[in-house]
Amino acid sequence: MIGAKYEQETDSTLRTADTDEAMKNMDCSEMVSRVLAIDELTPSNFGMNTKAMRSFFGDTSTYEIDSKPQMGDIMLWETHVAIVANVSDDGQMMSIVHASSGNKMVIETKTLMISTIEAFVPNLIGYIRPIVEGYRGGPITPAIVTSE
């Protein structure tokens, strides 16, 4: 999704289709909603905005919030959301993928010092990760895998 044009969705629904037209623009929450569906943490792309994600990730039986990032975490703050792309071996630096209104596209921001991240990201809620990988709730049940 890196390189997709940034466009804030202003109506009540976010772009959720997998068409070329829907994929050519996205905002931060649309990008993360797509990653959640691709990683099968949700049964489909719900198109949650950041406020809905704060509520969704509040389910402490399914998700944990940590103050230290790990690769693949969802970085969530009051008005923005991103994916942690990498954390250095010494745990001091990280990079994130997010839709940037300043750059007008989905970008990877590299070399963020974790110790000073709150200056870059005010109102940080934390780093979200599933307690168990894969979708585990609601009326949708995971597909049963059979071997031949």
Side-chain angles (χ1 to χ4, degrees), residues 28 50 54 75-82 94 96 98 112-127:
C28 63
T50 304
R54 289 194 313 263
M75 185 177 182
L76 181 65
W77 53 101
E78 193 68 28
T79 59
H80 198 53
V81 63
M94 72 174 182
I96 62 172
H98 61 117
L112 296 172
M113 290 205 56
I114 294 170
S115 62
T116 60
I117 197 69
E118 297 222 10
F120 175 74
V121 182
N123 302 313
L124 178 67
I125 293 168
Y127 303 95

Side-chain angles (χ1 to χ4, degrees), residues 78-92:
E78 193 68 28
T79 59
H80 198 53
V81 63
I83 302 292
V84 176
N86 193 19
V87 177
S88 64
D89 290 340
D90 63 6
Q92 301 297 310

Side-chain angles (χ1 to χ4, degrees), residues 3-142:
K5 290 182 189 173
Y6 171 88
E7 181 181 319
Q8 180 71 44
E9 187 59 59
T10 56
D11 69 11
S12 61
T13 59
L14 298 175
R15 295 170 286 261
T16 59
D18 288 330
T19 64
D20 289 342
E21 185 65 25
M23 294 288 288
K24 73 178 175 181
N25 297 298
M26 61 183 73
D27 65 18
C28 63
S29 56
E30 287 175 301
M31 185 208 59
V32 172
S33 289
R34 290 181 185 284
V35 170
L36 290 170
I38 290 166
D39 285 350
E40 298 180 343
L41 295 172
T42 58
S44 65
N45 178 4
F46 291 131
M48 292 180 281
N49 63 23
T50 304
K51 181 179 179 182
M53 285 185 188
R54 289 194 313 263
S55 175
F56 180 78
F57 293 129
D59 178 359
T60 57
S61 68
T62 305
Y63 295 95
E64 64 182 341
I65 300 175
D66 199 342
S67 61
K68 297 198 184 306
Q70 294 178 16
M71 187 173 73
D73 283 353
I74 296 158
M75 185 177 182
L76 181 65
W77 53 101
E78 193 68 28
T79 59
H80 198 53
V81 63
I83 302 292
V84 176
N86 193 19
V87 177
S88 64
D89 290 340
D90 63 6
Q92 301 297 310
M93 307 289 283
M94 72 174 182
S95 62
I96 62 172
V97 175
H98 61 117
S100 168
S101 60
N103 290 35
K104 300 293 185 201
M105 69 176 54
V106 176
I107 63 169
E108 182 174 3
T109 300
K110 298 181 179 186
T111 64
L112 296 172
M113 290 205 56
I114 294 170
S115 62
T116 60
I117 197 69
E118 297 222 10
F120 175 74
V121 182
N123 302 313
L124 178 67
I125 293 168
Y127 303 95
I128 315 293
R129 69 188 66 101
I131 294 170
V132 177
E133 292 292 332
Y135 179 69
R136 299 156 307 284
I140 308 295
T141 55

